[in-house]
Amino acid sequence: IINNYLDGMQGEAVDKPFPSGMHFRDSKRKVDYVLAYHYRKRLTRHPPGVGSPELMHRSGSLALVSNGRTEKGHAEQQRQESGQHVLQEWPGPPAMEVIELGPLDALEEEKRLQREEYEHKLVEAGLEIEKDPENRSQGLSFVRIHAPWQVLSREAELLKIKMPTKKMYEITEEGGILKNLNEIWCKLTEPLQPQVPQQQNTNMKSLSYPFSREKIYLYNIKDKDTFFDNATRSRIVREILKRTSTKARNSMGISTLIANNVYDAAYPLHDGEYEGQNDDMNERKLLYQEWARYGAFYKFQPIDLIRKYFGEKIGLYFAWLGLYTEFLIPSSIVGIIVFLYGCITIESDIPSKEMCDQRNAFTMCPLCDKFCDYWNLSSACATARASHLFDNPATVFFSIFMALWATMFLEQWKRLQMRLSYFWDLTGLEEEEVSVEHPRPEYETKLLQKKMKNKTITTENSNKDEKEKLTWSDRMPGYAANLGLILFMITLTFSAVFGVIVYRITTAAALSFSTNERTRSNVRVTVTATAVIINLVVILILDEIYGAVAKWLTEIEVPKTEKTFEERLILKAFLLKFVNSYAPIFYVAFFKGRFVGRPGQYVYVFDGYRMEECAPGGCLMELCIQLSIIMLGKQLIQNNLFEIGIPKLKKLFRKLKDERTEPNEMDTSQSKDPQQWDLDYILEPFTGLTPEYMEMIIQFGFVTLFVASFPLAPLFALLNNIIEVRLDAKKFVTELRRPDTVREKDIGIWYNILSGIGKLSVIINAFVIAVTSDFIPRLMYQYAYSQNGTMHGFINHTLSYFNVSHLKAGTQPENSLFAQDVLFCRFKDYREPPWSPNQYDFSKQYWAVLSARLAFVILFQNLVMFLSVLVDWMIPDIPKDISEQIKKEKSVLVDFFLKEEHEKLKLIESFIARDKQKRKSGTQGDRIRAASFSQLNRSRKGSFASFSSQHTEV
């Protein structure tokens, strides 16, 4: 046991049960961090009668003692008291025969030596360590770490961690109407507020200042054990673990040791159990009851408590997710209104009425060669009526609204982010707090290989190691592999889309050959539904593949720091998943039905299969079906089922794996009453926020990019996010190990991605309205071609004539019911009639409509962009009250320091006055005065000296 008092009288202390799962065995020192590892002892044998298993165990057990008494003599005790760490070995049998080390034993011995060296250096850094006895041939063991006050204060000063001072100042709130509205809102939403401890006086805020041992009198230190909260303590210990290096394999910190399997895991502890019979309330249990249960779905999130427990980075994610979910409420309401408008006006829609009218005998050209017959347009009545639900004038308004909605959401997030930065003391984070970016283990390994290759590892130039780094040429193979594989993956996605297109074409042709009339009549519905499901399955499979590929591609680039690694991984994963999720939708929106040709001159693929064309009502309805099924399928299967099922399976697998390790030697006392570090080890390790952000960003794209075709997308996103917030909360509280706290003042590169999607959505929606929907053709007909300014005759205007005698030989319908009566069939396009000199060429109406479509795209894009910029300009990034409070905080800080300095000067003047009175006493007085001033100077340079009114002793 390291740094734990153990002598001959206390040998049984090892078997003593832990008083609580959060402290050392002495019940005083808190466990700030835990290291876990699996050990495997080498085989030994001894002559019979010499020694016993107990003695063998004691002889094999090494005890590293620091600042404690052992059974050695007074000399060793003095060495311990002088700070030297003694490696204590219990006396064992003199005769011992050791079997030759095999490869596995040699590897385990190397790991054990690395652990011993690493733990020695942690003790030298001031940390206190407690280890489990390794009393089995193999098993799992834990190293518990405690940081004493001296270490915490030293590291807090080095990292410049902001801590609250004694000074409190009042927060001035905005007055007038906004204050009254805020009070009314608080009263109305009081039942929705989580029942968590709040600051007694919300109008007062503690003045924070980077911790300094020289100015320790500034801080409100009531108890040194609780001054730094658990999150800050674990953050400090993690920083020490990261920078502590070992000589073996050039290991730089705990990350390298975990990568080399010297340790299995390193994690801070949760604050106890989240549910149980005991009445002890902790922050984890409070978060579970008020936030991480599905029963609390209607409550606001306790963002401040989330930030306190998990850190600023995770707190910002949940604050962003909460704001995004709140913003989906108004967009959902407007989307429902647009949908209801389509339902109400469906009976008065003249084009759909004309299409459904049986008296309008629009005989359409066959949908396939030879086996398809002519058909009446009125048979597509249901499709036309359904299309009107999403293809109506309100859709244009909704597209403009959603573009402005995205801009307002981003602006509001910037304001909320600034407000949280102020209250969480993140303002000026880059200038004040120091966060050392440690190199990744893979980067160090690559750099070591480069040094060995260049033969630069010598004792003479070891001081040049810091200057060496990986250059652009070293990473060139990785960059080339990235470019090639990303292009291959994008090509794979397009190939999958093309494969589904081929499936649709061939299946439609095969079903058209069927003798069953019902099957032939439902060809389009069957093909569309099955193709979308296949698309969804392909997207889900490729998403998982692309996530792993993006991670591997980022690793072979060998980024130096974790932050750079994360940013590059995000960009690659987003690019691949964006293309994968939206490629089928882009095809339906902009390419399907554009390259069909015309009767008598169709475009064929694969020896006689015609390219598929849109339904009579247009492709917008099919786009809506495609978007809704992919969006809902991804949310239901990937975002919810995968998130619930996969962590549980991993947890079960890890538990079974640990139980399979020496089941006969399991510690029964430990298994009956597991400690907190045992419970946390079983949990899934935290791997970052990238998956959580990614699924929400992809959903944000579904909500904004093609919202013109699916106004109900915000509603389904809102329903999903209500569950998603609690699902993520439950995962963080109950299923994941406690993450290391990370201080971040923004959401990083995700904001830029959101902003880019918002701008892209304007262009895409403009093209969806102009190209995919019938909005522009209807507008052109009503104001340019209609005789009475109404929509009567619109269907006839959009259909062209074709002389059936011009069909190619072998493509005419066989056994047609219309064969004797049909001279001309109709098809949807703007082309010259057969009796025109330029038969089947594009008509003047086609070019007029095309010009109108392009003009609409330009007008819509510039109008919405202008409105977005206007909204951005009108809403300031920093709230006025927050900017005033930041200025006030700086002035209060200056006044606070001036006051303290003034008290120091008063104290110095009192010493000078006292010395003047004692000058008359002669030489004795001079000595007293000199001693006073020397003591004064020493106290000004000391760590814990104070001249404040409350610390007047010098």
Side-chain angles (χ1 to χ4, degrees):
I1 294 176
I2 303 175
N3 275 16
N4 205 31
Y5 296 99
L6 180 67
D7 55 21
M9 300 298 293
Q10 294 175 313
E12 296 79 6
V14 176
D15 300 324
K16 180 182 176 182
F18 285 86
S20 72
M22 304 297 297
H23 292 79
F24 280 10
R25 294 185 189 274
D26 57 10
S27 304
K28 296 178 182 178
R29 290 174 289 180
K30 186 181 295 184
V31 178
D32 296 318
Y33 222 86
V34 173
L35 306 179
Y37 64 91
H38 279 87
Y39 65 88
R40 179 178 177 274
K41 291 186 179 179
R42 68 188 183 192
L43 298 174
T44 59
R45 71 167 181 250
H46 53 278
V50 181
S52 64
E54 181 181 358
L55 287 175
M56 285 291 297
H57 160 60
R58 295 183 66 187
S59 65
S61 299
L62 297 178
L64 182 63
V65 184
S66 173
N67 299 333
R69 301 180 65 89
T70 67
E71 290 183 356
K72 291 287 182 180
H74 182 67
E76 287 187 13
Q77 178 185 344
Q78 288 180 343
R79 288 167 62 193
Q80 293 174 32
E81 290 174 355
S82 64
Q84 299 179 16
H85 304 287
V86 180
L87 187 64
Q88 174 65 40
E89 185 170 330
W90 293 91
M96 181 71 64
E97 182 183 355
V98 181
I99 295 176
E100 249 182 80
L101 292 180
L104 285 176
D105 290 326
L107 182 62
E108 288 297 325
E109 184 69 15
E110 184 183 355
K111 291 180 181 179
R112 185 183 65 80
L113 293 174
Q114 286 189 60
R115 285 195 293 266
E116 285 185 1
E117 181 188 359
Y118 186 69
E119 289 158 14
H120 267 292
K121 292 198 172 184
L122 293 181
V123 173
E124 290 174 1
L127 298 176
E128 297 177 359
I129 294 177
E130 184 178 69
K131 294 185 68 173
D132 285 338
E134 299 178 1
N135 52 10
R136 303 199 298 267
S137 62
Q138 60 180 346
L140 176 67
S141 186
F142 295 96
V143 179
R144 294 170 289 280
I145 301 174
H146 168 76
W149 169 258
Q150 291 82 358
V151 175
L152 293 172
S153 57
R154 179 193 72 208
E155 296 297 324
E157 184 173 359
L158 290 174
L159 297 173
K160 298 184 179 179
I161 298 176
K162 278 188 173 183
M163 299 302 296
T165 63
K166 299 174 184 177
K167 179 65 178 177
M168 303 278 290
Y169 68 95
E170 186 178 1
I171 301 174
T172 55
E173 297 181 350
E174 292 183 347
I177 300 175
L178 291 176
K179 183 178 180 181
N180 296 331
L181 290 175
N182 187 41
E183 290 177 354
I184 295 171
W185 174 251
C186 290
K187 289 181 180 179
L188 290 175
T189 58
E190 190 172 353
L192 306 179
Q193 298 294 338
Q195 302 299 316
V196 296
Q198 300 286 345
Q199 186 178 342
Q200 294 180 354
N201 191 353
T202 56
N203 293 330
M204 302 296 291
K205 183 180 183 296
S206 294
L207 186 67
S208 296
Y209 185 73
F211 188 81
S212 172
R213 287 176 291 179
E214 291 185 357
K215 298 181 174 63
I216 199 168
Y217 54 87
L218 299 176
Y219 306 97
N220 190 16
I221 305 177
K222 296 179 181 178
D223 186 359
K224 290 183 178 180
D225 292 334
T226 58
F227 178 65
F228 296 104
D229 59 14
N230 291 345
T232 307
R233 294 174 71 99
S234 64
R235 177 188 166 199
I236 289 173
V237 174
R238 180 75 181 187
E239 192 65 32
I240 297 174
L241 293 176
K242 281 184 176 180
R243 71 165 186 252
T244 303
S245 62
T246 58
K247 295 179 182 178
R249 291 192 181 183
N250 195 32
S251 297
M252 294 294 292
I254 188 64
S255 301
T256 311
L257 293 174
I258 292 176
N260 294 334
N261 295 319
V262 177
Y263 290 100
D264 290 345
Y267 52 90
L269 291 180
H270 278 293
D271 288 356
E273 298 182 10
Y274 61 89
E275 58 182 358
Q277 303 295 332
N278 55 349
D279 297 330
D280 296 337
M281 181 59 68
N282 56 62
E283 291 180 352
R284 187 187 187 192
K285 183 180 288 186
L286 191 61
L287 282 171
Y288 178 75
Q289 292 178 356
E290 297 296 326
W291 178 53
R293 293 184 303 111
Y294 293 114
F297 74 94
Y298 61 92
K299 292 186 177 182
F300 291 119
Q301 298 185 90
I303 294 297
D304 290 326
L305 185 60
I306 296 169
R307 169 252 176 178
K308 181 183 177 185
Y309 192 81
F310 292 110
E312 285 75 9
K313 188 173 184 177
I314 294 175
L316 283 174
Y317 163 71
F318 281 104
W320 174 84
L321 182 58
L323 181 68
Y324 172 49
T325 305
E326 289 175 10
F327 258 72
L328 285 173
I329 296 175
S331 60
S332 301
I333 294 173
V334 177
I336 293 172
I337 293 172
V338 170
F339 179 73
L340 292 177
Y341 171 82
C343 296
I344 293 170
T345 59
I346 193 171
E347 296 299 333
S348 60
D349 183 49
I350 296 173
S352 59
K353 275 185 176 182
E354 289 184 349
M355 189 179 292
C356 295
D357 192 352
Q358 298 285 349
R359 294 171 295 179
N360 294 330
F362 295 116
T363 303
M364 306 298 292
C365 297
L367 295 174
C368 66
D369 295 342
K370 196 174 182 180
F371 295 97
C372 294
D373 199 359
Y374 303 103
W375 55 285
N376 286 323
L377 186 60
S378 58
S379 62
C381 174
T383 308
R385 290 171 65 87
S387 296
H388 178 73
L389 297 176
F390 306 101
D391 190 1
N392 55 67
T395 305
V396 181
F397 156 75
F398 190 57
S399 299
I400 298 174
F401 170 80
M402 287 304 294
L404 298 179
W405 172 88
T407 303
M408 291 191 67
F409 164 64
L410 294 176
E411 288 302 311
Q412 188 61 30
W413 167 245
K414 285 194 287 188
R415 291 169 61 84
L416 176 61
Q417 190 172 255
M418 197 65 213
R419 188 175 294 276
L420 293 176
S421 296
Y422 166 70
F423 284 104
W424 293 354
D425 296 320
L426 298 174
T427 52
L429 179 64
E430 293 179 352
E431 295 81 11
E432 294 175 354
E433 291 198 23
V434 178
S435 180
V436 181
E437 286 286 344
H438 298 281
R440 298 175 63 250
E442 293 80 3
Y443 179 86
E444 293 172 344
T445 305
K446 189 78 173 177
L447 189 61
L448 181 62
Q449 292 173 355
K450 179 185 176 182
K451 293 175 183 177
M452 294 177 67
K453 186 177 179 181
N454 297 333
K455 297 180 180 180
T456 57
I457 303 181
T458 59
T459 54
E460 296 178 1
N461 61 359
S462 59
N463 57 343
K464 298 180 182 179
D465 287 352
E466 295 180 1
K467 298 181 181 179
E468 292 195 26
K469 61 181 180 179
L470 295 181
T471 60
W472 185 82
S473 59
D474 297 323
R475 293 191 173 99
M476 190 60 192
Y479 291 150
N482 269 262
L483 180 61
L485 275 174
I486 287 175
L487 291 177
F488 172 75
M489 291 297 170
I490 294 175
T491 307
L492 178 64
T493 301
F494 291 153
S495 302
V497 173
F498 183 70
V500 176
I501 295 170
V502 172
Y503 163 80
R504 294 159 71 115
I505 294 172
T506 54
T507 306
L511 292 177
S512 300
F513 301 157
S514 174
T515 56
N516 190 336
E517 184 64 28
R518 187 174 181 182
T519 303
R520 293 171 65 180
S521 61
N522 294 324
V523 167
R524 193 179 295 277
V525 176
T526 305
V527 170
T528 301
T530 55
V532 171
I533 293 172
I534 292 173
N535 262 329
L536 175 62
V537 173
V538 170
I539 286 172
L540 293 177
I541 294 172
L542 289 181
D543 253 1
E544 299 302 317
I545 295 173
Y546 288 168
V549 169
K551 186 176 181 181
W552 180 74
L553 288 175
T554 311
E555 286 175 350
I556 64 176
E557 278 188 19
V558 200
K560 183 175 181 179
T561 62
E562 287 293 342
K563 186 175 182 180
T564 311
F565 178 87
E566 186 179 17
E567 289 180 351
R568 295 184 182 181
L569 173 62
I570 288 169
L571 286 175
K572 291 181 185 62
F574 174 74
L575 174 63
L576 293 173
K577 293 190 176 186
F578 181 88
V579 174
N580 182 42
S581 298
Y582 298 117
I585 302 172
F586 269 93
Y587 164 73
V588 175
F590 303 122
F591 298 101
K592 185 179 179 181
R594 312 292 168 196
F595 312 103
V596 178
R598 61 171 178 82
Q601 200 176 358
Y602 284 113
V603 177
Y604 291 91
V605 292
F606 296 116
D607 192 24
Y609 290 107
R610 274 166 48 178
M611 283 292 292
E612 58 178 348
E613 51 187 311
C614 293
C619 277
L620 198 69
M621 186 63 197
E622 189 172 341
L623 176 62
C624 173
I625 295 171
Q626 185 100 2
L627 182 67
S628 58
I629 292 180
I630 291 177
M631 178 182 176
L632 295 177
K634 276 180 65 69
Q635 289 183 349
L636 181 64
I637 298 172
Q638 192 175 44
N639 298 0
N640 294 329
L641 293 182
F642 282 9
E643 281 194 18
I644 296 172
I646 291 178
K648 289 187 180 297
L649 290 175
K650 287 183 177 179
K651 181 180 177 181
L652 179 63
F653 177 75
R654 193 183 298 106
K655 189 175 181 181
L656 292 174
K657 182 182 177 183
D658 291 337
E659 288 178 356
R660 201 181 299 118
T661 305
E662 294 294 328
N664 297 328
E665 297 186 9
M666 291 295 291
D667 192 348
T668 54
S669 62
Q670 188 175 358
S671 61
K672 287 181 181 177
D673 187 19
Q675 299 298 322
Q676 190 62 46
W677 44 86
D678 298 304
L679 298 173
D680 287 3
Y681 178 77
I682 300 172
L683 300 178
E684 187 73 12
F686 174 70
T687 56
L689 288 170
T690 301
E692 276 70 30
Y693 271 116
M694 187 66 70
E695 64 188 48
M696 288 295 104
I697 297 295
I698 295 295
Q699 185 203 82
F700 183 78
F702 281 122
V703 169
T704 55
L705 291 179
F706 295 94
V707 74
S709 63
F710 190 39
L712 295 179
L715 174 63
F716 288 112
L718 173 64
L719 296 176
N720 173 80
N721 285 11
I722 291 173
I723 302 172
E724 181 71 23
V725 171
R726 307 302 159 180
L727 184 64
D728 283 349
K730 189 174 182 181
K731 183 171 69 174
F732 274 87
V733 174
T734 68
E735 297 175 4
L736 294 179
R737 294 174 191 160
R738 188 171 184 173
D740 295 302
T741 57
V742 179
R743 284 177 71 80
E744 294 282 356
K745 64 177 184 178
D746 52 36
I747 60 175
I749 197 173
W750 295 111
Y751 180 84
N752 299 329
I753 293 175
L754 285 168
S755 180
I757 291 177
K759 291 178 173 61
L760 183 62
S761 68
V762 177
I763 302 170
I764 290 179
N765 280 304
F767 276 99
V768 168
I769 295 170
V771 177
T772 312
S773 74
D774 282 340
F775 177 74
I776 298 300
R778 291 186 184 195
L779 210 63
M780 285 291 294
Y781 177 78
Q782 186 173 0
Y783 294 103
Y785 300 108
S786 176
Q787 297 178 356
N788 52 8
T790 63
M791 293 301 295
H792 289 286
F794 172 73
I795 297 298
N796 185 53
H797 177 75
T798 58
L799 297 177
S800 299
Y801 287 90
F802 181 78
N803 190 338
V804 297
S805 63
H806 294 164
L807 287 171
K808 290 182 179 180
T811 61
Q812 296 91 345
E814 292 182 351
N815 303 323
S816 173
L817 300 175
F818 297 82
Q820 297 176 356
D821 302 326
V822 175
L823 296 175
F824 298 98
C825 66
R826 310 293 295 272
F827 64 99
K828 190 174 182 180
D829 207 345
Y830 292 103
R831 290 184 180 267
E832 296 289 346
W835 53 83
S836 172
N838 302 317
Q839 61 178 6
Y840 307 133
D841 287 347
F842 288 117
S843 62
K844 293 180 180 179
Q845 288 89 341
Y846 171 83
W847 299 110
V849 170
L850 180 62
S851 302
R853 281 174 166 165
L854 295 176
F856 174 82
V857 169
I858 297 171
L859 179 64
F860 182 89
Q861 177 184 339
N862 285 281
L863 174 64
V864 175
M865 287 292 187
F866 169 75
L867 293 175
S868 300
V869 171
L870 185 64
V871 170
D872 189 359
W873 175 75
M874 291 177 63
I875 302 176
D877 293 346
I878 304 176
K880 186 178 178 181
D881 59 327
I882 295 299
S883 60
E884 292 176 355
Q885 293 300 328
I886 293 173
K887 294 176 183 177
K888 180 180 178 180
E889 187 176 57
K890 291 180 179 179
S891 64
V892 169
L893 184 64
V894 172
D895 294 341
F896 181 52
F897 274 100
L898 288 176
K899 182 180 178 182
E900 292 294 328
E901 291 295 329
H902 184 62
E903 291 180 357
K904 284 184 184 180
L905 290 175
K906 279 187 176 180
L907 186 60
I908 292 172
E909 288 175 0
S910 66
F911 271 96
I912 293 174
R914 190 182 304 172
D915 288 339
K916 285 182 179 179
Q917 292 177 0
K918 292 181 179 181
R919 280 179 183 176
K920 297 179 182 179
S921 60
T923 309
Q924 186 67 24
D926 294 338
R927 291 177 180 175
I928 294 174
R929 183 170 67 256
S932 300
F933 273 101
S934 64
Q935 190 174 2
L936 175 62
N937 290 331
R938 285 198 304 271
S939 60
R940 290 180 65 184
K941 297 178 181 177
S943 299
F944 296 91
S946 171
F947 292 100
S948 67
S949 57
Q950 298 182 9
H951 300 265
T952 53
E953 296 181 4
V954 178

